Amino acid sequence: MKPIRTGIRTRRTARTPALFGGISQRAFLRDYWRKRPLLVRGALDPAIAKIIDLASLRQLASRADVESRLVDVHRGRWRVKHGPIPRSSRPAGPARLWTLLVNGVNHHIPAAQQLLERFAFLSWARIDDVMASYAVPGGGVGPHVDSYDVFLVQGRGRRRWRIASPQEFELVDPAPLLLIKNFRAEDEYILGPGDMLYLPPGWGHDGVALEPCTTFSVGFRAPRADELGAAFLDWLHEHRLPDTVQLATGNSAGAPGEIPASLAQAAGLVLEHMRPSAADERRFVGEYLSTPKPHVVFHAPRRALAEPAFARALARRASIALDPKSILLHRGGMWFMNGESFPAPLALRPCLKALADTRRAAGWPAVSSALLYDWYLAGFILLSG
Ligand code: SIN
Ligand code: CO
């Protein structure tokens, strides 16, 4: 438990847990975020240990609309089984060290969503989800490196984390776990219920359960440049490419091996057309960043109100909350909800901004809004009160 080369500092909270112990969010952003790890003892109420038990985790892992993995060590080799994982499934035989990991538990467990919302100051465009893991004593996913920021919040039991600063790690197997060969830890910490370890991208880490334990990982999205580029080409294809127009064929003008000038020019014109305008860029980036993960499924309200009743409820100051799976972002007067962009009537904007920032808003103006009703029917927003 001694800080060595990593320069990690331990923060201890006073009686009311403050996420970063004695330091402010501002100081966290300045001194730690994307720079160096931070261990906070008692960052959260130890009751966090109770927000999910193994039975509920198994139940979530058995669903097709939930992303889950079962990791175990078999004869010295790490194995990963992707969900849905039947409730009864657990590694048998000599493989006794296993971990069950479930992504997006905040979509199903309100207390996990409340945990995620503690990190809202870091931007909803970056926040991913809460992954919960359950490990048997000795279990873990092995020493590995992640390409994103993560807050590791200890739930039930104790876990020993060993960490190493970013370096050219030699990987056992690049996929899917990014396991590190010959991992040499520089520091180690034992976390108990409510303790939290922040790790910037690229830090090697190895968490081993000392007793049956749950860990909540609050992860952040970090779009990769190649993925963003490929998604943009798909977006262009869907929105702007004249894919039915045939290029001028031209002719060889006596040199059959030469590319005809008219054909080269026509191809150049098509590529020219692909250059995004500033408006395209804004729209694509907003739609891309607000796209939920592929597993996510939205459900229409069970007994949906008809549009006039919906409008009456809003007029009576009903409040609207985002479904926990929804991502609502905005920039430059454009609104991006779950991968689609919308212009919004001016009168709605203050409430929409509150909805995007705090995930709930009341006091909607008395404008009939087809936009809100569409979102309600799609299951993107919930009406209450
Ligand atoms: C775990 O909860 O077992 C793994 C979390 C992580 O390393 O990101
Ligand atoms: Co990790």
Side-chain angles (χ1 to χ4, degrees), residues 307-321:
E307 193 165 3
F310 177 83
R312 277 198 301 277
L314 281 189
R316 284 198 309 267
R317 300 188 66 77
S319 81
I320 284 180

Side-chain angles (χ1 to χ4, degrees), residues 72-75 91-97:
D72 74 322
V73 192
H74 184 68
R75 297 200 176 122
R96 294 264 184 265
L97 300 182

Side-chain angles (χ1 to χ4, degrees), residues 74-367:
H74 184 68
R75 297 200 176 122
R77 277 185 72 90
W78 294 89
R79 302 186 301 188
V80 186
K81 190 169 153 191
H82 290 271
I85 295 161
R87 272 196 241 191
S88 56
S89 165
R90 68 189 75 198
R96 294 264 184 265
L97 300 182
W98 57 268
T99 299
L100 179 65
L101 304 121
V102 178
N103 275 92
V105 290
N106 55 301
H107 298 165
H108 310 279
I109 309 232
Q113 178 65 18
Q114 279 161 21
L115 169 65
L116 190 73
E117 291 185 14
R118 299 286 304 267
F119 298 86
F121 70 98
L122 289 161
S123 168
W124 287 113
R126 294 275 344 267
I127 292 173
D128 191 353
D129 65 0
V130 178
M131 178 183 82
S133 69
Y134 175 93
V136 294
V141 299
H144 67 283
V145 60
D146 296 319
S147 54
Y148 46 81
D149 303 86
V150 65
F151 292 90
L152 299 158
V153 176
Q154 189 57 25
R156 176 183 167 192
R158 288 174 311 141
R159 187 186 276 269
R160 187 182 64 231
W161 284 102
R162 295 159 66 236
I163 65 172
S165 52
Q167 54 202 271
E168 290 271 314
F169 292 115
E170 197 184 337
L171 299 181
V172 181
D173 195 349
L177 287 175
L178 294 177
L179 287 174
I180 298 171
K181 207 183 236 174
N182 307 323
F183 181 65
R184 289 158 66 111
E186 296 162 9
D187 246 330
E188 82 170 50
Y189 305 94
I190 293 174
L191 271 65
D195 293 345
M196 177 174 84
L197 176 61
Y198 162 69
L199 290 179
W203 281 74
H205 51 291
D206 184 19
V208 176
L210 300 183
E211 47 218 34
C213 101
T214 47
T215 299
F216 303 100
S217 304
V218 179
F220 288 77
R221 301 160 156 234
R224 282 179 24 183
D226 58 344
E227 285 169 3
L228 184 107
F232 180 64
L233 291 178
D234 281 347
W235 187 91
L236 265 186
H237 190 220
E238 225 175 88
H239 293 88
R240 279 231 276 100
L241 284 190
D243 55 2
T244 52
V245 176
Q246 241 169 357
L247 296 187
T249 48
N251 58 49
S252 61
E258 191 180 7
I259 297 172
S262 57
L263 181 53
Q265 271 163 17
L269 273 179
V270 171
L271 297 184
E272 188 81 17
H273 190 74
M274 286 171 69
R275 287 214 183 109
S277 64
D280 283 341
E281 274 173 23
R282 194 169 62 213
R283 192 172 153 202
F284 162 71
V285 170
E287 291 180 6
Y288 181 75
L289 293 177
S290 67
T291 300
K293 285 181 170 174
H295 273 80
V296 168
V297 179
F298 291 93
H299 301 284
R302 246 192 227 139
R303 257 177 266 128
L305 297 177
E307 193 165 3
F310 177 83
R312 277 198 301 277
L314 281 189
R316 284 198 309 267
R317 300 188 66 77
S319 81
I320 284 180
L322 287 180
D323 179 273
K325 298 184 284 282
S326 282
I327 306 174
L328 175 63
L329 304 173
H330 61 97
R331 188 166 181 81
M334 282 298 282
W335 300 85
F336 307 100
M337 172 68 108
N338 296 331
E340 286 180 64
S341 45
F342 304 88
L346 264 180
L348 280 188
R349 289 189 187 177
C351 280
L352 278 179
K353 185 175 174 324
L355 187 63
D357 292 342
T358 66
R359 304 190 66 84
R360 48 193 65 77
W364 293 85
V367 286

